[in-house]
Amino acid sequence: MTPEQPRTELDARYSSALNPRPGAQDVTATDWAEAERKLRAAEVFWITTVRPDGRLHVTPLIAAWHEGALYFSTGPGEQKAKNLAGNPHCALTTGHNSLSAGLDIVIEGTAERVADPARQDEVIAAFEAQYGDHVTSPEGLFHGFGDSIRKGDDLLFAVAPGTAYGFGHDGQVFSHTRYTF
């Protein structure tokens, strides 16, 4: 996948720019490079998929940002895998549970299965770099992660963003940035 630089714009309707508070008069869109740094540092993501009957399914997972896409894995019998088989559109989110600090990010896109062994190895290395001992240590929470993908016990998916959003929180200053790819 080729990383794209998105068009970045502040949505004043949902930012402090429209409802200024002290210190908010200069609120700006969050730069995509900052959003990418947050994606690389995040440990927990939430994925939203659509069930065959139209109901949503939301669950936490680990994901790695690598070369312009978010990657995640799942077992072939898990609900998210079943949902993606019928409708590959999904959203992945990460951020902070705080109104006063942080950057929440939403990535909307289409999940594509990654079956090429060379690409899988690249992405497994990205997971190992991002999660370290959680993935590589025998005592780690996801030990054997790479082997389960290589053997086909778990499916690997890539989601390149079609649209992404950054919701910044800095005290009483809020920003809502839209990234269009």
Side-chain angles (χ1 to χ4, degrees), residues 11 26 32 36 38 45-46 56 61 63 87 100 104 110 112 121 136 145 163 166 169 174-175 180:
D11 190 334
D26 296 324
W32 178 243
E36 283 186 304
K38 296 293 186 184
F45 292 80
W46 291 83
L56 298 177
L61 50 66
N87 181 347
S100 60
D104 300 325
T110 303
E112 295 181 13
D121 284 342
T136 59
F145 175 84
T163 304
H169 315 266
F174 303 98
S175 65
T180 307

Side-chain angles (χ1 to χ4, degrees), residues 29-50:
T30 302
D31 184 65
W32 178 243
E34 176 63 16
E36 283 186 304
R37 278 191 290 280
K38 296 293 186 184
L39 290 168
R40 282 189 193 92
E43 290 187 348
V44 177
F45 292 80
W46 291 83
I47 187 168
T48 303
T49 58
V50 182

Side-chain angles (χ1 to χ4, degrees), residues 50-55 79 82-83 86-87:
V50 182
R51 297 174 192 263
D53 65 4
R55 292 180 300 130
Q79 188 65 52
K82 293 175 185 178
N83 295 346
N87 181 347

Side-chain angles (χ1 to χ4, degrees), residues 52-101:
D53 65 4
R55 292 180 300 130
L56 298 177
H57 176 258
V58 180
T59 190
L61 50 66
I62 63 171
W65 180 255
H66 179 67
E67 294 186 357
L70 263 176
Y71 291 83
F72 66 92
S73 71
T74 186
E78 291 188 34
Q79 188 65 52
K80 58 187 162 293
K82 293 175 185 178
N83 295 346
L84 292 170
N87 181 347
H89 299 284
C90 62
L92 288 131
T93 62
T94 192
H96 297 274
N97 290 327
S98 171
L99 287 174
S100 60

Side-chain angles (χ1 to χ4, degrees), residues 3 5 7 18 26 28 37 87 92 95 102 110 119 131 135 138 141 148 161-162 173 181:
Q5 290 302 309
R7 185 182 69 201
L18 198 62
D26 296 324
T28 60
R37 278 191 290 280
N87 181 347
L92 288 131
T110 303
R119 187 67 175 165
Y131 290 94
V135 172
L141 298 171
S148 68
V173 178
F181 294 81

